[in-house]
Amino acid sequence: MTHPDHVLTVLRRDPDLARLAAGAFDFDLAGAEHVEEVRLASGAPVAGDDTGGTFFLCADGPVLYASSEGGAGLIGAGLDEALEIVIGLPGWHDYTDLDPEADDEELDEVFARTEDEIRSSYGPGLDADRSTLLSALGLRRVPRRELLRRLQECLLRTEPEFLLVNADEGCAYEPLDRLPRPPLWQTVLAPGRADLVRMRADQDCWNTIANDPVRRATALRAAQYDRQPGDLQLLRALLRQEAADRGNTPELRLAAVLVGLHGMAEDHAMLRALREADLDVHFLLDGFPDCPGALAQWAADIDWSDYGRDPHDAYDLTWTALARRQGRTELARAALIRILDGTGPRDEVLLGGIARELEALGDLGQAIRARRLHASLQDDADRHGSALVDLVSLQRRHSEVAAAWGPSAWPPEARAHRGGRSGPGSP
C-alpha cells in the first residue's frame, strides 16, 4: 500500500500525470472546493484540499466522495484503493448498483459501453493513460469485477461512522448507491437474539444476562419477536430483575406483557404485588385485571396495540434508544439524523423524541435543529412557549448565547406566524 503523501506528491510534481488523472478519470487536484462546507456527523472534519474537488480524506485514511447533487459515500479504505478504483473503473458512478456476481459477459458489456462514452469525450488513449497512471503512482491493475466488489463494500461501510452532513444545517447527504442494507432493528437486536439463545440452552447464564440492564433490555426485545412456549421461566427472571433494578421502565411493561400472555395465576399475583408496591408501576401497568383469569387477555390487548411481533412496526426511536444504551453512538446518531431529515409537519411528537435522543447522545447541535423544527409546529401559545424554552436552554448549553436571546431563537416559520415577535420573553 502506498502512502497518501507519496501518491499526492507524484501527482503534484508531474503536471502531465495530474492532467491525465483529471481527464478521463475525473480526479482533479486543481478542482474547485466542494460546493458547501461539510463535516462528518460525528463532528470530525474532512480534508478536501489534499485530494481536490469532492474527494475527502478522513481520519486514518478512508476516502469519501461527495457529489454536487447531495450524495456521498466511501469509495476506498485508503487513497491508493480509491485511486485504483477511480482509474481502473472510469465512470464508476454508474456502477454503484451493479451486481458484482453477474456473468462476465454482462459486466463487460456495461464496462465497455461506459468506457466507449468516455473515449468519445477524451480521445482513444484511455487504456494507455490508465497504464501510465497506475505505473507512475505505484498502484496495481486489479480486475474490474474485483474493483466493483471493493467499491460496493466501501459504500456499504459509509454509515454510521462516515455519514456526511452539511456543516451549517446538519442535513445528511444521501447514499451514492441503492444497495440493500440491514434495518437498524436487525443490528441492534443481534446481541439480544444471541443472549436469548444462550438463556434457552443454559440456565447458568441467566443471572449474568439479567443483571446487565442493557443486555436484559435487548434480550426482552428479542423475546418479543421470537416467542416460544418454554420461555416463561427466563421471562420471569428478566421481569424480576427489571423490577428490582429500575422499577418504572418500558422494559418492565414489556416483560409484564410477555409474562402475562401465559396467563398463569402465580404471575398475576406477582404483577399485582409489583403494582401495589410502586405507584409509578401501578400506572405503568394500567388496566391490570383483578381476576387472574383475565391476565392473558389484558396482556394480549396491550400486545396488539403497543407491541406485536414485527420489528418493522416498532416506534421509530425504539431502536435508536437501544443502540444508544448499547454504546453504539454513531449508529444511533446516523439513524436519528436520517429520521430527522425525513420529518414533516405531522411529526410534532416524533420531533420532540428525536431532540431528547440527540441530547442524550450529547449532540446538542442536531438536538437544537430538532427543537427548532418542533417549536415551529406549535400553534398553541403555551406549547409554543414551552418549546422555545427547551430550544433556548439547548442553545445556551451549546454556547449559542446570542442566538438564544436574539431573533434566531425563533424559527423562521414561528416568526412569520407570530407576526415577527423575536424573543423568548415575548407574550
Side-chain angles (χ1 to χ4, degrees):
M1 179 179 292
T2 59
H3 194 279
D5 289 345
H6 168 75
V7 173
L8 295 174
T9 298
V10 171
L11 286 172
R12 286 170 177 154
R13 287 179 176 176
D14 191 326
D16 290 334
L17 285 179
R19 177 181 53 78
L20 292 182
F25 307 102
D26 203 21
F27 188 85
D28 187 2
L29 287 177
E33 293 183 358
H34 194 53
V35 293
E36 60 187 3
E37 186 179 351
V38 293
R39 59 174 174 78
L40 298 183
S42 63
V46 284
D49 292 341
D50 285 345
T51 52
T54 53
F55 293 88
F56 298 96
L57 275 177
C58 302
D60 300 323
V63 175
L64 185 77
Y65 175 82
S67 74
S68 59
E69 290 78 29
L74 285 182
I75 64 165
L79 187 56
D80 56 346
E81 181 177 71
L83 279 170
E84 285 173 353
I85 289 172
V86 168
I87 297 170
L89 283 179
W92 61 268
H93 307 78
D94 298 331
Y95 305 150
T96 56
D97 300 321
L98 280 183
D99 181 4
E101 303 304 321
D103 61 57
D104 291 338
E105 183 177 350
E106 181 179 347
L107 286 180
D108 287 343
E109 181 181 347
V110 175
F111 295 145
R113 184 169 60 248
T114 301
E115 293 187 9
D116 284 344
E117 293 174 358
I118 294 174
R119 288 186 183 94
S120 67
S121 299
Y122 292 97
L126 177 64
D127 297 315
D129 292 348
R130 176 162 39 208
S131 296
T132 298
L133 277 171
L134 291 175
S135 176
L137 297 176
L139 302 176
R140 301 162 296 175
R141 180 182 289 275
V142 180
R144 290 182 294 190
R145 181 189 293 273
E146 176 64 17
L147 291 175
L148 175 62
R149 182 186 64 80
R150 293 183 187 181
L151 171 63
Q152 294 189 354
E153 287 179 351
C154 285
L155 290 170
L156 289 172
R157 289 200 301 270
T158 303
E159 293 185 31
E161 283 81 5
F162 299 97
L163 179 64
L164 193 69
V165 298
N166 174 288
D168 293 328
E169 299 176 1
C171 300
Y173 276 56
E174 292 299 319
L176 288 174
D177 61 90
R178 294 173 294 178
L179 299 170
R181 289 166 171 79
L184 177 62
W185 65 261
Q186 194 173 97
T187 303
V188 173
L189 270 189
R193 286 174 162 174
D195 276 345
L196 192 58
V197 171
R198 294 186 187 98
M199 294 184 77
R200 287 168 175 165
D202 182 8
Q203 190 169 344
D204 290 342
C205 72
W206 286 14
N207 286 340
T208 299
I209 295 171
N211 288 334
D212 184 318
V214 178
R215 292 182 70 178
R216 183 172 67 236
T218 312
L220 280 168
R221 285 293 175 184
Q224 176 186 345
Y225 301 112
D226 180 12
R227 306 179 186 188
Q228 294 188 16
D231 285 349
L232 180 57
Q233 291 298 334
L234 68 87
L235 290 172
R236 286 171 174 166
L238 295 172
L239 169 61
R240 291 190 184 100
Q241 196 59 50
E242 187 67 28
D245 278 4
R246 308 188 73 215
N248 177 25
T249 66
E251 287 77 23
L252 178 64
R253 187 168 186 262
L254 172 60
V257 169
L258 293 176
V259 168
L261 286 170
H262 292 264
M264 303 298 291
E266 60 189 287
D267 295 322
H268 180 273
M270 175 179 63
L271 292 171
R272 184 174 59 188
L274 290 176
R275 291 183 81 238
E276 292 173 353
D278 189 316
L279 184 61
D280 288 333
V281 175
H282 179 90
F283 288 108
L284 185 72
L285 304 183
D286 186 42
F288 190 78
D290 295 329
C291 174
L295 176 62
Q297 187 59 53
W298 168 82
D301 289 343
I302 297 177
D303 183 35
W304 180 84
S305 63
D306 294 352
Y307 298 117
R309 302 192 179 199
D310 187 347
H312 288 98
D313 295 336
Y315 180 52
D316 287 336
L317 305 188
T318 297
W319 309 118
T320 58
L322 196 50
R324 171 177 54 79
R325 292 181 62 188
Q326 291 173 347
R328 299 179 176 188
T329 300
E330 295 311 318
L331 183 65
R333 188 203 314 273
L336 286 166
I337 291 173
R338 290 290 186 202
I339 296 171
L340 179 55
D341 285 350
T343 55
R346 298 181 180 179
D347 296 319
E348 173 191 340
V349 175
L350 178 59
L351 281 167
I354 293 171
R356 288 189 293 272
E357 278 298 307
L358 287 165
E359 187 176 355
L361 284 174
D363 194 333
L364 299 187
Q366 291 285 354
I368 287 170
R369 178 182 161 216
R371 283 291 177 200
R372 185 176 289 115
L373 289 170
H374 180 255
S376 73
L377 297 177
Q378 306 303 315
D379 290 327
D380 178 82
D382 290 338
R383 289 199 300 269
H384 188 263
S386 177
L388 286 176
V389 169
D390 292 337
L391 172 60
V392 168
S393 176
L394 278 177
Q395 287 175 319
R396 289 178 182 172
R397 290 170 56 194
H398 197 46
S399 301
E400 296 182 7
V401 178
W405 290 109
S408 64
W410 289 75
E413 301 90 337
R415 291 200 300 273
H417 181 70
R418 302 285 165 173
R421 288 177 288 180
S422 59
S426 300

